[in-house]
Amino acid sequence: PAEQLAKHKEMLRRRLTRETGATRYEMQVIDRNGQIRTLETNSRLSYDREGKPNAIHAISRDITERKKYEEHLSFTTRELSHRTKNVLAVVLAMVRQIGKQTESFEQFEDRFSGCIKSLAFCHDLLVESDWQGADLRNLIAMQVAPFGGLDGNKLVATGPAMTLSP
């Protein structure tokens, strides 16, 4: 790509002025199919007996897939950090709310344990849908399962199908 030309000229200038003997850098090129590829290039100059440069030796490796993987890993790590902070904020809110509503540590522990289990159930639903959303009926069913489940004698859920966003 034209925007990379200056980078290549600068690397050549550095070699010719002996600012550097060997270089290692990444560059982008366009392949025969018009796709942008990332190459890692190692190069050095060869000199004749008078000390004048007479050749450039270069080896380039296609690292396009590695770069894509690194970008994906970086994105995934940032997303995981964001979601972890969200979950911790939810847990903190639960602690505060339950703390206001309970009279003893035993009561707090019992309610908090139930909330954590419910949160884990919600997380399972999101993982099963590849974080695309959760079916409301499934969410309700998981939340009330410890109490006998849906459509039993105690609880019934009716209404249209609805998917909640993550």
Side-chain angles (χ1 to χ4, degrees), residues 17-73:
T17 59
R18 296 188 183 204
E19 190 177 316
T20 182
T23 59
R24 181 179 179 169
Y25 61 99
E26 293 176 9
M27 66 178 182
Q28 291 184 321
V29 296
I30 299 174
D31 69 13
R32 291 182 192 126
N33 299 324
Q35 301 295 316
I36 295 178
R37 311 294 298 173
T38 302
L39 302 179
E40 178 182 72
T41 301
N42 294 298
S43 65
R44 66 178 177 81
L45 278 177
S46 290
Y47 300 92
D48 64 16
R49 292 180 188 209
E50 286 82 45
K52 293 181 183 177
N54 65 359
I56 295 177
H57 299 274
I59 297 175
S60 294
R61 286 178 282 291
D62 186 342
I63 60 169
T64 305
E65 294 307 314
R66 185 185 86 196
K67 295 300 281 184
K68 286 180 183 176
Y69 174 76
E70 289 171 356
E71 289 170 11
H72 173 72
L73 188 60

Side-chain angles (χ1 to χ4, degrees), residues 16 30 34 52-53 108 137 145 147 151 159:
L16 290 172
I30 299 174
K52 293 181 183 177
F108 173 85
R137 182 175 176 76
F147 311 105
D151 301 326

